Amino acid sequence: MNYGTYSVTQYGGMIEDRQRLTAYTEALRAAITPGCTVLDLGAGFGFFAILACKYGAGRVIAVEPAGSIALGPEMARANGCADRIEFIQGVSQDLGPEYRADVIIADLRGVVPLYTQHIPTIADARARLLDPGGVLITQCDRLRCALISDETLAEETFRPWQANGMDLDLSAGSRLAVNAERKVYVTPDSVLSDTADFATLDYRTISDPDVCGRVTLTAARGAPAHGFLLWFDAELAGGQRFSNAPDQPKRTYGQLFLPFERPVVMAAGDTAEIELDFRLVHDGYNKTWKTRFARAGEADLKFSQSLALGDFVTPADLRRRSGAHVPRSTARLELDRYCLSRFDGATSQATIAREATDRAPGRFATEAEALGYVATLAARYHDPGH
């Protein structure tokens, strides 16, 4: 599964996001009782895990699938709490009941909360790993949206495919560009309409990761609508709140911009009815948005867009994705199958790499390449406890 990864610079940005940090730390401080157990999901290098120890937790389990967790033990030692934190590189879905906790803290969002395995992870941890009467720090996210009129975004979205200095016809690229999402930072000046609530994600009860809804947005002034913006208002335990709305200080999350097929000139009072359907497919969300514009003196205008239409997809890709496709065995598949069969808890990766080299002569240029291949394959299925 893909749970998303962050760079050290991005982690630094999270630490510097003061409103977010204050909301989470105050909620954590209020939730902790002396000696309690805390489960930190998507822990990164363990920032909240270390804070939990500072606030009196007796045991902390920090779970993170990415390599950033390697920094955790060093950070814990530097802060005098290495004996109370267990760092696990993996996912909480693989944890057993011995990891149940009194408090669960997580910030698994991307630009918006509908991000990779965020909702399934929270729902699973809440059901299996939170003790009765325990505290789930992340309580609720309210998804909100508004129309956007922003010439800079418009130029970056539409212009490259409409005009270029080489006098080439690149218009075919436009159909992909207008079906692509972007992380942006906009100011209130770019907001064209009123604000509407799209969905409420209550993490105390939510189980379905798919979200759909319909909103109607009314233009507040005359201007071209270039797309719409999505953001969230977060509520944490203890009543702590923060938001990545355009009128808030710059958040590490940014906002999510989804363009229209083309700019649509609107007058004050004109409306755009947008039907949104966000569905988790494998490890990512396919977002579909259908828009109907009602403008005074104009016929209704309708667009139907989707991230699926923004992919670089060949006819062969489509055939391979269909339910009727019959996969064929390949040399690589057979080599993977053999290596997986040798992951028996007793055979070293070096031994498996030598065997793989013998089974596929010419496949690997060096022993190191073969070992890297086996190690990468094994990492997909590693035991989080080891």
Side-chain angles (χ1 to χ4, degrees), residues 10 45 64 87 160 200 220:
Q10 289 170 317
F45 62 83
E64 168 60 51
F87 291 94
T200 297

Side-chain angles (χ1 to χ4, degrees), residues 87-122:
F87 291 94
I88 298 175
Q89 184 170 7
V91 296
S92 57
Q93 286 89 334
D94 293 334
L95 301 182
E98 66 273 21
Y99 290 102
R100 291 182 66 88
D102 304 294
V103 177
I104 294 179
I105 185 169
D107 180 7
L108 305 177
R109 307 174 187 88
V111 181
V112 292
L114 302 177
Y115 179 69
T116 66
Q117 297 291 322
H118 176 201
I119 292 176
T121 296
I122 292 290

Side-chain angles (χ1 to χ4, degrees), residues 22-371:
T22 298
Y24 266 102
T25 55
E26 290 305 311
L28 183 62
R29 188 201 304 269
I32 287 178
T33 56
C36 73
T37 297
V38 176
L39 178 60
D40 183 2
L41 303 180
F45 62 83
F47 182 86
F48 289 136
I50 294 168
L51 272 183
C53 291
K54 178 180 178 180
Y55 295 155
R59 181 192 181 201
V60 181
I61 304 106
V63 185
E64 168 60 51
S68 54
I69 199 169
L71 191 59
E74 181 180 350
M75 292 285 196
R77 287 192 296 271
N79 288 277
C81 54
D83 59 328
R84 284 185 283 163
I85 305 178
E86 180 180 357
F87 291 94
I88 298 175
Q89 184 170 7
V91 296
S92 57
Q93 286 89 334
D94 293 334
L95 301 182
E98 66 273 21
Y99 290 102
R100 291 182 66 88
D102 304 294
V103 177
I104 294 179
I105 185 169
D107 180 7
L108 305 177
R109 307 174 187 88
V111 181
V112 292
L114 302 177
Y115 179 69
T116 66
Q117 297 291 322
H118 176 201
I119 292 176
T121 296
I122 292 290
D124 173 75
R126 181 193 70 225
R128 297 191 307 108
L129 302 175
L130 184 63
D131 278 336
V135 178
L136 186 66
I137 295 289
T138 305
Q139 301 266 297
C140 179
D141 284 332
R142 185 168 56 159
L143 296 178
R144 314 196 75 194
C145 58
L147 296 177
I148 292 297
S149 182
D150 188 301
E151 290 300 330
T152 299
L153 287 178
E155 284 198 7
E156 294 170 351
T157 302
F158 306 112
R159 184 173 176 178
W161 316 106
Q162 297 170 347
N164 60 87
M166 298 296 104
D167 195 28
L168 300 177
D169 183 349
L170 304 179
S171 57
S174 181
R175 70 173 183 272
L176 278 70
V178 299
N179 287 285
E181 62 184 354
R182 289 183 57 190
K183 175 180 178 178
V184 298
Y185 295 92
V186 304
T187 65
D189 292 342
S190 296
V191 176
L192 177 60
S193 71
D194 58 343
T195 295
D197 291 349
F198 160 43
T200 297
L201 310 178
D202 188 337
Y203 300 111
R204 294 161 292 194
T205 58
I206 196 168
S207 58
D208 187 353
D210 297 335
V211 177
C212 61
R214 188 188 303 267
V215 297
T216 298
L217 301 170
T218 303
R221 66 181 191 278
H226 298 120
F228 64 99
L229 201 70
L230 279 169
W231 66 89
F232 64 92
D233 293 345
E235 180 180 341
L236 308 182
Q240 296 293 326
R241 290 177 168 83
F242 67 92
S243 173
N244 63 335
D247 62 353
Q248 294 295 304
K250 187 175 180 180
R251 296 270 82 78
T252 185
Y253 308 94
Q255 300 102 23
L256 186 69
F257 173 67
L258 293 169
F260 295 133
E261 288 185 9
R262 58 178 173 82
V264 178
V265 176
M266 303 187 75
D270 289 347
T271 62
E273 183 183 70
I274 308 175
E275 181 182 342
L276 300 143
D277 191 337
F278 294 176
R279 295 187 180 273
L280 184 61
V281 181
H282 303 301
D283 293 325
Y285 274 87
N286 182 46
K287 301 179 177 72
T288 297
W289 57 106
K290 298 179 180 179
T291 312
R292 182 177 67 85
F293 296 92
R295 299 176 295 164
E298 301 281 350
D300 283 1
L301 179 63
K302 296 181 181 181
F303 297 150
S304 182
Q305 297 167 259
S306 173
L307 294 188
L309 299 175
D311 286 343
F312 292 104
V313 180
T314 68
D317 291 330
L318 293 175
R319 287 194 296 272
R320 285 192 290 269
R321 293 179 186 180
S322 75
H325 177 65
V326 179
R328 296 182 180 180
S329 180
T330 64
R332 181 173 181 176
L333 184 153
E334 291 302 326
L335 188 59
D336 280 1
R337 192 201 309 274
Y338 174 77
C339 291
L340 289 171
S341 74
R342 297 290 284 136
F343 296 163
D344 55 12
T347 307
S348 71
Q349 291 186 155
T351 297
I352 299 171
R354 287 193 294 270
E355 294 172 357
T357 301
D358 291 339
R359 292 181 68 89
R363 170 66 175 78
F364 305 108
T366 64
E367 292 181 6
E369 183 182 345
L371 181 57

